[in-house]
Amino acid sequence: MAKGNHKRVRGKPQIHSLLEHYQPIDGVVDEMVDASGNPRPVWKHFIEALDELGPEKLGQRFARADQYLRDAGVYYRVYDKAGANEREWPLAHVPVLIEESEWAAISAGLVQRAELFEETIADIYGPNRLVEKGILPAGLIAASPEYLRPVVGTRPAGGHFLHFCAFELGRGPDGQWWVLGDRTQAPSGAGFALENRVATTRALSDIYGEMHVHRLAGFFRRFRDALIGMAKETDGRVAILTPGPLNETYYEHAYIARYLGIMLLEGEDLTVSGGRLMVRTVSGLMPISVLWRRLDAAFADPLELRSDSQIGTPGLVEAIRQGAVATVNALGSGLMETRALLAFLPKISRALRGEELLLPSVATWWCGQATERAHVLANIDRMVIGPALSTRLAFEDDDSTKLGSALSAGERAELVARIEGDGGAFVGQEAVTLSTTPVYVGSWLEPRPASLRVYLARTPEGWTVMPGGFARVGLSLDPTAIAMQRGGQAADVWVVSDRPVERETLLPQEGDSFTRTRPGSLPSRAAENLTWLGRYIERSEDTVRILRAYHVRLAETSDPDMPLLADIRDYLEPFGIDVETAIPSGLIGTLDSAVYSAGQIRDRFSPDGWLALKDLSKTIHQFATTVAPGDDATRAMTVILRKLAGFSGLLHENMYRFAGWRFLEIGRRLERGIQIARTLSRLTSAKAPDGALDMMLEIGDSVMTHRRQYPVQAGRRTVIDLLALDPLNPRSILFQLERLKAEIGLLPSLGGEGHMSPAAKEILQLNTQIAIKEPSDMTAKALDDLAYEIGGLYNSLAKAYFG
């Protein structure tokens, strides 16, 4: 019993009970308690363990889970009237618990459904016997925007249309699980399910360890191995295709790619050459054999599908026809999400498989048939009426789906007239009364409606079901409030066994063979973003060092018109840096650009690196509204410099030395060389005001080094010698050129072995020229020209590797 978490009743200590005020909803099944209000067997130990913790410790535990999600940068993009905004992942801290035996029944029903969908899609895009026999209305199929005529008759390269599916389930008042909707297009949420599990177990690790909860890693390992197995060509690669960072679930795309070790690509990364799908990499075009697409099929190929798509790859459909690439899932498979098809599944199952559905769909009637239309109109007050061709669940639709019982007399008459006039555009569905699951509110548990999203993946051994994973939980008792876009929460789902379960991981088993990932698979777009990330971070650091030197002197003199400060203001103004503001908007913009570039490559970014960068961004935005010029700004710049150094050090020490790190390093060295050359030109010129040389040493972080190296007061030649021509000073121009020569020389050669790239030739020539210079040769004009030439190296790199 936890101390301090009990109260006295008739002289006896009593543990704070989470069920003390728990009130199940009449006529609704509650996942945690039975009709008598007693915990169900699978929940009993869990509730007792929570009670032992007490409200104070429990609140601390749940706060720990929330902190993990913030630190990991887990977010979901919400679209509303204000536009697209990133929302922190809304975790419902209490998991949904389901007994292993019940889960086995659910799994069997969903495997049957997935097989039925596979056969149905194969028929619709093949012999079309279901339409021929009148089991499926031809008009319904033809009218669906998910029916893609360009792929009719195309047999998938992998032999199957479906490889990864999800099904939305709800438990009705009778205790039966019903399928509310199907996800066969590009199911989302599996990555969030992993994050739910990590966050929940961070909070409840001891309870999780005591209960026999099935792990999730084995599901992902088997699916990853299946994807790799589909890449039959020796040079084929597996990739995930994302719409990009503006997609609502982009975080998950990047997370899954990083978790499984698979390339994350956008449509612009791909091209079709010689009938094969290729990815543009820094080593040239590389073939893609398996594409796990996370964008809707209609946007995949602007040449043959939606011509207005900006996120697809022209020619992809033809590559699929040629059998050159296997897509997960096949283009056109989103047809099975059509809401009206739920009405025909029982008949389809009997026709194709000779069996009844083990897990029934929510009762659905398509109003394009006279009998069904009459039934819907006669029972409209207890139905939900929505668009027949919608692929969204009834509770996800905003204005297009209506609850009959909530309509006014006028609205009801208008809807009836529309159904009678165009019945094929509507479906009627039984109004869903979802079961409830507990959520933690204050210090108590309260019931909220919930649905499960269950994931299935195809493997060589057949369909495998993720054991648990993802539940959507409402913020209120309104069932429409479980949709994520409407403020719903997400909960982990624990499948609990009565005996120990296998502790599966993503790691290979002892004795398993392995291959090291082939080099040169860095997409060109990722290389470009890594280069610019390095440049933006270095540019930010240089700006901060100049601003700190400026504000130190401003604090000492309180005279902003002194020549040196005026000269710095003039120098920074063309770069958009206004020193009148302690934290200039130009500096904030540069750091925001760094965050943007990093956001484009989240799959290649460590969680620690992302956390450090976001913390840096948060700090500088906070300072923008709180810091004053002078001494206050000086301290702020020191804090920012420390965080910049921490971020750069994290990348430098932890990133694997592959091509991605190389481009990041090249970006840093390019920018540092440019900035040092420009600043040296200004502060060592004959017109530079008094104190400029000392400021230059301070900006170049070389004050102590100068004192050790030169037993004289700083002069123009010593400053230039140290900051331009010293090959051992990590702040000097020559040092940057030496590093650039080394890193560019190690980049993939696109002209064949033994041939130097144009960029390699340029840096070799430039490095040699500067290495033999004397300080007297480095005039202001020579330094400006040098900055220009270093900047030109980027253009050569871009032409060779980013085009």
Side-chain angles (χ1 to χ4, degrees):
M1 181 183 299
K3 294 181 179 180
N5 293 323
H6 58 270
K7 57 184 179 180
R8 290 206 169 265
V9 178
R10 296 180 181 176
K12 296 182 180 180
Q14 179 180 338
I15 294 176
H16 172 102
S17 175
L18 290 168
L19 296 182
E20 186 173 340
H21 299 293
Y22 195 78
Q23 296 182 344
I25 310 301
D26 290 340
V28 175
V29 171
D30 190 90
E31 297 296 330
M32 182 176 65
V33 299
D34 58 24
S36 301
N38 298 315
R40 300 183 189 276
V42 71
W43 285 85
K44 191 172 186 301
H45 173 75
F46 181 81
I47 294 302
E48 289 175 349
L50 294 189
D51 278 341
E52 285 288 337
L53 287 172
E56 183 177 350
K57 287 186 177 179
L58 203 52
Q60 294 171 352
R61 296 277 194 104
F62 291 155
R64 186 186 308 166
D66 293 336
Q67 186 61 52
Y68 161 77
L69 292 170
R70 284 193 293 270
D71 290 347
V74 185
Y75 73 90
Y76 183 83
R77 195 175 298 279
V78 177
Y79 300 96
D80 52 28
K81 294 180 180 179
N85 300 292
E86 290 184 7
R87 175 189 177 196
E88 290 186 359
W89 187 245
L91 179 69
H93 303 99
V94 179
V96 179
L97 275 54
I98 299 179
E99 289 182 343
E100 184 182 50
S101 58
E102 184 174 21
W103 192 259
I106 291 173
S107 299
L110 294 182
V111 167
Q112 178 206 43
R113 195 177 187 91
E115 290 289 0
L116 175 62
F117 280 19
E118 174 70 31
E119 294 180 30
T120 303
I121 298 172
D123 177 78
I124 291 173
Y125 286 100
N128 225 351
R129 294 192 182 94
L130 291 171
V131 171
E132 181 184 336
K133 295 178 181 179
I135 297 172
L136 270 177
L140 177 62
I141 300 300
S144 173
E146 299 301 334
Y147 178 64
L148 304 182
R149 290 174 176 80
V151 295
V152 171
T154 301
R155 188 68 187 170
H160 298 284
F161 288 85
L162 297 178
H163 299 269
F164 193 83
C165 305
F167 300 97
E168 200 83 19
L169 307 182
R171 194 200 294 271
D174 59 354
Q176 168 75 47
W177 287 102
W178 297 80
V179 179
L180 306 177
D182 308 290
R183 291 288 176 259
T184 55
Q185 174 79 266
S188 64
F192 290 122
L194 280 169
E195 289 287 35
N196 288 344
R197 176 61 54 89
V198 174
T200 303
T201 54
R202 286 282 180 97
L204 306 172
S205 56
D206 47 353
I207 302 174
Y208 179 79
E210 293 167 358
M211 302 179 71
H212 306 311
V213 181
H214 284 270
R215 269 55 175 178
L216 304 182
F219 170 84
F220 288 96
R221 187 187 69 247
R222 287 186 283 275
F223 185 49
R224 179 200 61 189
D225 294 346
L227 290 174
I228 294 173
M230 290 169 63
K232 298 176 182 179
E233 297 88 348
T234 56
D235 61 345
R237 288 162 173 77
V238 180
I240 297 175
L241 179 62
T242 175
L246 293 181
N247 183 261
E248 61 187 16
T249 56
Y250 175 75
Y251 171 84
E252 182 205 6
H253 304 169
Y255 179 85
I256 287 288
R258 188 169 60 239
Y259 183 70
L260 299 183
I262 297 174
M263 281 194 295
L264 183 66
L265 304 176
E266 295 181 28
E268 65 181 282
D269 296 324
L270 297 166
T271 187
V272 176
S273 177
R276 297 193 68 182
L277 185 66
M278 314 291 279
V279 55
R280 297 181 178 93
T281 78
V282 295
S283 296
L285 297 179
M286 300 286 180
I288 296 292
S289 296
V290 181
L291 194 64
W292 182 4
R293 63 177 181 85
R294 298 303 302 271
L295 54 76
D296 289 353
F299 294 91
D301 184 349
L303 195 62
E304 298 200 48
L305 300 172
R306 284 192 57 159
S307 60
D308 61 340
S309 172
Q310 300 293 315
I311 55 177
T313 304
L316 177 59
V317 169
E318 181 59 28
I320 292 171
R321 285 199 200 98
Q322 298 296 327
V325 60
T327 52
V328 177
N329 289 325
L331 298 184
S333 56
L335 178 66
M336 297 308 299
E337 297 185 1
T338 306
R339 197 182 297 180
L341 284 184
L342 294 174
F344 301 93
L345 287 182
K347 189 183 294 186
I348 294 173
S349 182
R350 289 190 290 270
L352 293 181
R353 301 179 61 84
E355 55 192 29
E356 299 295 328
L357 292 173
L358 297 176
L359 270 181
S361 309
V362 61
T364 304
W365 296 266
W366 180 50
C367 297
Q369 298 165 304
T371 302
E372 285 73 11
R373 180 167 60 252
H375 176 80
V376 169
L377 293 175
N379 297 275
I380 195 170
D381 288 337
R382 61 183 184 86
M383 288 198 179
V384 173
I385 311 297
L389 301 179
S390 174
T391 58
R392 298 169 65 87
L393 303 184
F395 55 73
E396 292 178 330
D397 274 334
D398 294 326
D399 300 324
S400 58
T401 297
K402 308 293 184 181
L403 180 63
S405 60
L407 297 174
S408 66
E411 291 171 332
R412 186 179 187 278
E414 181 184 353
L415 181 57
V416 168
R418 292 176 62 196
I419 294 174
E420 290 176 337
D422 186 15
F426 295 92
V427 291
Q429 292 184 294
E430 184 178 349
V432 176
T433 302
L434 296 172
S435 62
T436 55
T437 193
V439 298
Y440 192 71
V441 181
S443 299
W444 308 99
L445 294 179
E446 295 183 7
R448 294 289 186 271
S451 68
L452 301 183
R453 181 170 290 188
V454 186
Y455 299 90
L456 279 72
R458 186 185 294 280
T459 71
E461 293 74 36
W463 289 100
T464 182
V465 181
M466 185 193 293
F470 194 91
R472 296 199 285 180
V473 184
L475 282 176
S476 68
L477 292 176
D478 178 4
T480 66
I482 73 173
M484 301 300 290
Q485 288 287 338
R486 299 190 186 183
Q489 299 173 287
D492 192 11
V493 178
W494 292 5
V495 176
V496 183
S497 176
D498 57 4
R499 58 188 181 278
V501 298
E502 184 179 356
R503 294 180 177 271
E504 296 185 281
T505 72
L506 208 63
L507 299 175
Q509 303 300 309
E510 188 65 32
D512 286 356
S513 61
F514 68 92
T515 56
R516 184 172 290 168
T517 302
R518 290 175 290 273
S521 295
L522 179 68
S524 298
R525 181 181 54 83
E528 185 176 15
N529 277 293
L530 283 163
T531 304
W532 275 106
L533 173 61
R535 293 195 66 171
Y536 285 133
I537 288 298
E538 193 62 39
R539 190 176 298 176
S540 298
E541 181 178 339
D542 178 77
T543 303
V544 170
R545 288 186 179 279
I546 295 175
L547 289 173
R548 185 173 67 168
Y550 175 90
H551 285 288
V552 164
R553 286 153 180 80
L554 180 64
E556 291 173 349
T557 67
S558 298
D559 179 14
D561 294 325
M562 70 175 290
L564 181 58
L565 297 185
D567 192 61
I568 289 298
R569 283 199 301 274
D570 293 341
Y571 171 67
L572 292 176
E573 185 178 5
F575 304 113
I577 306 299
D578 179 11
V579 296
E580 299 297 329
T581 305
I583 309 294
S585 59
L587 173 61
I588 296 173
T590 300
L591 198 56
D592 285 346
S593 295
V595 174
Y596 176 81
S597 292
Q600 301 292 308
I601 46 174
R602 283 293 298 272
D603 60 309
R604 297 177 180 274
F605 226 69
S606 73
D608 286 340
W610 181 254
L611 176 60
L613 185 57
K614 292 294 283 186
D615 178 60
L616 177 59
S617 176
K618 180 180 178 181
T619 298
I620 201 167
H621 278 274
Q622 287 177 339
F623 283 167
T625 59
T626 59
V627 171
D631 191 55
D632 200 20
T634 300
R635 289 193 296 270
M637 295 302 165
T638 300
V639 172
I640 295 170
L641 271 178
R642 284 203 304 265
K643 295 197 173 189
L644 278 164
F647 173 72
S648 297
L650 190 67
L651 296 184
H652 185 79
E653 292 299 323
N654 293 347
M655 276 188 76
Y656 187 78
R657 289 332 192 234
F658 72 131
W661 177 86
R662 211 168 304 290
F663 279 100
L664 180 70
E665 179 72 357
I666 287 170
R668 291 181 61 211
R669 299 304 173 183
L670 280 172
E671 194 65 31
R672 183 174 292 185
I674 292 170
Q675 297 299 335
I676 289 291
R678 284 175 176 170
T679 315
L680 264 177
S681 172
R682 183 76 176 209
L683 294 182
T684 63
S685 72
K687 299 178 180 179
D690 291 341
L693 294 177
D694 289 333
M695 178 180 272
M696 185 66 238
L697 288 173
E698 187 177 325
I699 292 169
D701 197 21
S702 298
V703 174
M704 296 297 297
T705 305
H706 187 276
R707 290 174 183 170
R708 287 194 301 268
Q709 293 288 95
Y710 308 95
V712 295
Q713 186 176 359
R716 183 180 186 278
R717 287 190 301 170
T718 61
V719 171
I720 289 179
D721 185 59
L722 181 61
L723 288 174
L725 304 177
D726 191 332
L728 301 182
N729 182 7
R731 291 281 166 183
S732 78
I733 299 172
L734 185 57
F735 187 93
Q736 314 315 313
L737 296 179
E738 293 279 4
R739 295 303 308 151
L740 285 168
K741 182 181 72 172
E743 300 304 340
I744 292 175
L746 292 173
L747 292 178
S749 175
L750 300 179
E753 294 299 326
H755 292 274
M756 293 181 68
S757 68
K761 292 178 181 179
E762 287 181 37
I763 184 58
L764 178 60
Q765 184 178 24
L766 189 56
N767 182 72
T768 303
Q769 289 175 356
I770 301 304
I772 62 175
K773 294 287 187 183
E774 295 293 334
S776 58
D777 299 325
M778 306 305 290
T779 63
K781 182 180 185 306
L783 287 166
D784 285 335
D785 291 344
L786 180 56
Y788 179 81
E789 290 182 80
I790 296 174
L793 286 171
Y794 174 81
N795 297 329
S796 297
L797 288 168
K799 184 177 180 180
Y801 297 104
F802 308 154

